[in-house]
Amino acid sequence: MSVTATAPGIQETLKTLGIEAINRGASTGGHWFNTRGPQIDSISPVDGQLIASVHAATEAEYEAIIMKAQEAFKVWRTIPAPKRGEVVRQLAEKIREYKQPLGELVSFEMGKSLQEGLGEVQEMIDICDFAVGLSRQLYGLTMHSERPSHRMYEQYHPIGIVGIISAFNFPVAVWNWNTALAWVCGDVCVWKPSEKTPLTAIACQKIAQEVFAANDVPEGVSCLLIGDAEIGKLMSNDVRVPLVSATGSTRMGKAVSQAVGARLGKSLLELGGNNAIIIAPSADLKMVVPGAVFGAVGTAGQRCTSTRRLIIHEEVYDKVRDAIVKAYGQLKIGNPLDQNNHVGPLIDKDAVTAYENALKQVVAEGGKVIVEGGVLSGEGYESGCYVKPAIAEAENHFQIVQHETFAPVMYLMKYSGGVENAIALQNGVPQGLSSAIMTNNLREAEAFLAATGSDCGIANVNIGTSGAEIGGAFGGEKETGGGRESGSDAWKVYMRRQTNTINYSDSLPLAQGIKFDL
């Protein structure tokens, strides 16, 4: 039986990554289960062809994997953190070896451009490098005690099993954002990837397995469960999984949060974004155009940080609008493996339907489409997933503008008066992930970054909303979920905090001077 993917060179890519025609959908890192669940077909949005299939995991395999992860945690947590970091360092080296084929598979299975696919794999390498340094810095604080001859300090311990639920749009990076930190912290990980991108998950598991086996890492430190939402429900309701990190829609995040919260577990949520760039009168057009255009059309508008709204001052509205419209006329849409193209396909036809409905609704609510959209057909567009990036003039209060459409649709709106009016529009949506302002006015920039400014987890000045650096904590507020991943002190969510007091005297003073005559 052969893999049926038809894109030139992709069969060699699959062979390099160990992807077969029919794959098994559950692994403990040392053992692949002969899964008997429903068959999941990975259909490339690039050409509409079957790449390969996966038999999903069942509840029985879920139970077996959780038990193996529990056993592995007992051993993994006792290994010194710098030694755990050394394993992650080797993982980064192995990912470097596989960067090209893994990036190609990300591009082909998900539909983002090859450069974006390679960039996502580079994020994996970067977070591993960050985690290696972190493995020697899992620090706590020392506090002065109010009692004589006492010392107080805090330390962090591994939390246990970290459940990871990831989305299709970043099929490898988000997994590694969580795992690299969790592993150096001493945790073990159980991953449920999107059923839309199962093959990249299998590739990642095999790469990690190769490194872990060479280092005698206990089986169960890295586990994989491919399946539908039922696997996520099992994980969310399982008291043996103290932390669930979930990336995806707000609807999904609310369900996870409710289930995990009901058992007093911890959840790390990275959900929807409805991100805006404010264009002030002093903005440099040479920075506005690339920032806005890439933010809106990169990954075909399927990033949680994609630019959805441009809030433009009335003094420069016409000039900015015309420049953006002109730039859209230069976009090339097509096979994302061809580096001459700027925009690839949407993930599937359901996404195409959502895109078409958004354009209909914005007109129905009184908006005006100024860069026409549409679904592309004909040679090179056989999958039916290629669409034209569209722009509409709209009002912030429109229902469709308040909603996140995971597609290349951007809304333009005017503001007048001071920057505080633009900030009110920027904040006037349920989501709160990423935001930006384009200005050369220091007061405007500082107002945007102040406590009364952007209410998002990410606020940028003179760069766009899309993407983020590994060194900073990534996440947002409101319906974005409040979680933080990646850099800064995001590692703390993967650990439990413990306060310690040591009495090195020969007496035991009690609080508030209480005494017992014993």
Side-chain angles (χ1 to χ4, degrees), residues 118-141:
L118 294 171
E120 184 175 346
V121 178
Q122 184 62 47
E123 285 191 37
M124 300 173 71
I125 295 167
D126 293 344
I127 195 62
C128 284
D129 289 348
F130 178 91
V132 173
L134 177 65
S135 69
R136 295 181 181 272
Q137 300 182 70
L138 300 174
Y139 49 81
L141 298 174

Side-chain angles (χ1 to χ4, degrees), residues 75 107 128 168 174 247 316 460 503:
V75 178
S107 178
C128 284
F168 74 86
V174 170
T247 302
V316 294
N460 299 326
N503 177 5

